[in-house]
Amino acid sequence: MKITTWNVNSLTARLQHVLDWTAANPVDVLCLQELKMTDDKFPLDVLRDAGYGHCAVFGQKTYNGVAIMSRAPVRDVVKNITGFADEHSRVIAATVDSPAGELRVVNGYFVNGQAPGTDKFAYKMSWLSGLRAYLEAEMRQHGRLVLLGDFNIAPEDRDSFDPEGLRETIHHTSEEREHFRQIVGLGLCDSFRLFEQPEKSFSWWDYRMLGYPKNRGLRIDHILVSDAVRPHVKSCGIDRVPRKWDKPSDHAPVTVELG
DNA sequence: ATGACGTGTCCGACACGA
């Protein structure tokens, strides 16, 4: 069973890429971020024809918006962070069946945070605290859990093209990395790091300054699995192919395989 | 270089991203 996270930077602009990519990579569950559309605009019919007959959608006009697209039924859909009031559509959770048994999937578009010291950074910090409390409760209820999405955090120096030059800037601050560690500390692990990976593996590249051709990127899209799921993880990888297509998303899809 | 590039909103300029 394969589960993918992909920040598509507008599903309107990227629908054909999603269709082309899933045709070549028929993953079981595709978790999207940055839909940038309201629920009524979500292309349910087209995605059903593409094999994803079970979609849980939490959209928003212009910004944010997340969805879980699944080939098999999803149940117990929860939108946003329980216990944390949020104006934005950033989190959607659902339960699916997996080879390991019932699996809770939590798909998040984490706050960007702009820069340390700003109101947006403060929002990011409180959002992360709210998420952690919510996850703690979710994990008590669901031993088998996957937390994936656009974390907007480069957890370690090796997850950045310029860790020295960007030290303590957004995505690289000690506070963000401490939040990441605390989330992992709930009993999760970064599935990407369970395997040998190429150096300078990134999941996002700036549209500007030839970011992708120069591999000036960050690894900020992650798939964390709970300890009960960890023995079932067969592989985890980033697919750079769609980043080379015409008019790409600035993020690449990341996929985990469970056996 | 408070830039660059891309998307959406509402129609030229701005908000936002990472």
Side-chain angles (χ1 to χ4, degrees), chain A residues 2 83 103 111 121-122 185 198 205 241:
Chain A
K2 290 184 175 177
L103 182 70
V111 177
F121 191 83
W205 301 261
V241 168

mmCIF file of all heavy atoms in Angstrom, chain A residues 2 83 103 111 121-122 185 198 205 241:
data_model
loop_
_atom_site.group_PDB
_atom_site.id
_atom_site.type_symbol
_atom_site.label_atom_id
_atom_site.label_comp_id
_atom_site.label_asym_id
_atom_site.label_seq_id
_atom_site.Cartn_x
_atom_site.Cartn_y
_atom_site.Cartn_z
ATOM 1 N N LYS A 2 0.544 2.194 -0.878
ATOM 2 C CA LYS A 2 1.328 3.426 -0.960
ATOM 3 C C LYS A 2 0.496 4.648 -0.578
ATOM 4 O O LYS A 2 -0.673 4.763 -0.978
ATOM 5 C CB LYS A 2 1.885 3.604 -2.383
ATOM 6 C CG LYS A 2 2.985 2.592 -2.711
ATOM 7 C CD LYS A 2 3.595 2.848 -4.068
ATOM 8 C CE LYS A 2 4.764 1.897 -4.302
ATOM 9 N NZ LYS A 2 5.356 2.067 -5.651
ATOM 10 N N GLY A 83 -9.826 21.281 19.311
ATOM 11 C CA GLY A 83 -9.344 22.014 20.474
ATOM 12 C C GLY A 83 -8.522 23.238 20.146
ATOM 13 O O GLY A 83 -8.055 23.932 21.050
ATOM 14 N N LEU A 103 -5.726 2.317 9.891
ATOM 15 C CA LEU A 103 -4.674 3.332 9.939
ATOM 16 C C LEU A 103 -5.299 4.724 9.964
ATOM 17 O O LEU A 103 -6.157 5.050 9.138
ATOM 18 C CB LEU A 103 -3.787 3.187 8.686
ATOM 19 C CG LEU A 103 -2.587 4.109 8.550
ATOM 20 C CD1 LEU A 103 -1.513 3.751 9.572
ATOM 21 C CD2 LEU A 103 -2.005 4.022 7.138
ATOM 22 N N VAL A 111 1.677 25.829 9.090
ATOM 23 C CA VAL A 111 1.825 27.279 8.886
ATOM 24 C C VAL A 111 3.224 27.592 8.376
ATOM 25 O O VAL A 111 4.207 26.992 8.821
ATOM 26 C CB VAL A 111 1.573 28.016 10.216
ATOM 27 C CG1 VAL A 111 1.799 29.510 10.064
ATOM 28 C CG2 VAL A 111 0.161 27.727 10.728
ATOM 29 N N PHE A 121 4.833 34.112 12.601
ATOM 30 C CA PHE A 121 5.692 33.131 13.281
ATOM 31 C C PHE A 121 5.074 32.729 14.620
ATOM 32 O O PHE A 121 5.065 31.547 14.982
ATOM 33 C CB PHE A 121 7.106 33.691 13.489
ATOM 34 C CG PHE A 121 8.098 32.659 13.936
ATOM 35 C CD1 PHE A 121 8.726 31.826 13.016
ATOM 36 C CD2 PHE A 121 8.403 32.511 15.284
ATOM 37 C CE1 PHE A 121 9.635 30.864 13.425
ATOM 38 C CE2 PHE A 121 9.312 31.546 15.701
ATOM 39 C CZ PHE A 121 9.933 30.722 14.772
ATOM 40 N N ALA A 122 4.529 33.707 15.325
ATOM 41 C CA ALA A 122 3.860 33.414 16.600
ATOM 42 C C ALA A 122 2.678 32.472 16.364
ATOM 43 O O ALA A 122 2.436 31.539 17.150
ATOM 44 C CB ALA A 122 3.398 34.710 17.256
ATOM 45 N N GLY A 185 8.647 12.935 19.247
ATOM 46 C CA GLY A 185 8.701 12.387 20.605
ATOM 47 C C GLY A 185 7.400 11.785 21.094
ATOM 48 O O GLY A 185 7.373 11.063 22.099
ATOM 49 N N PRO A 198 19.874 9.671 -0.935
ATOM 50 C CA PRO A 198 20.915 10.507 -1.547
ATOM 51 C C PRO A 198 21.138 11.778 -0.723
ATOM 52 O O PRO A 198 20.203 12.282 -0.093
ATOM 53 C CB PRO A 198 20.335 10.869 -2.922
ATOM 54 C CG PRO A 198 19.206 9.931 -3.159
ATOM 55 C CD PRO A 198 18.712 9.491 -1.812
ATOM 56 N N TRP A 205 11.588 23.442 -3.991
ATOM 57 C CA TRP A 205 12.598 24.309 -4.601
ATOM 58 C C TRP A 205 11.919 25.612 -5.013
ATOM 59 O O TRP A 205 10.850 25.609 -5.622
ATOM 60 C CB TRP A 205 13.202 23.667 -5.857
ATOM 61 C CG TRP A 205 13.863 22.347 -5.607
ATOM 62 C CD1 TRP A 205 15.206 22.114 -5.445
ATOM 63 C CD2 TRP A 205 13.238 21.051 -5.526
ATOM 64 N NE1 TRP A 205 15.443 20.776 -5.254
ATOM 65 C CE2 TRP A 205 14.257 20.105 -5.295
ATOM 66 C CE3 TRP A 205 11.914 20.601 -5.602
ATOM 67 C CZ2 TRP A 205 13.994 18.732 -5.149
ATOM 68 C CZ3 TRP A 205 11.650 19.242 -5.458
ATOM 69 C CH2 TRP A 205 12.681 18.332 -5.243
ATOM 70 N N VAL A 241 10.294 13.881 -10.547
ATOM 71 C CA VAL A 241 9.876 13.948 -11.958
ATOM 72 C C VAL A 241 8.867 15.072 -12.226
ATOM 73 O O VAL A 241 9.071 15.888 -13.134
ATOM 74 C CB VAL A 241 9.345 12.573 -12.439
ATOM 75 C CG1 VAL A 241 8.642 12.691 -13.778
ATOM 76 C CG2 VAL A 241 10.493 11.568 -12.521
#
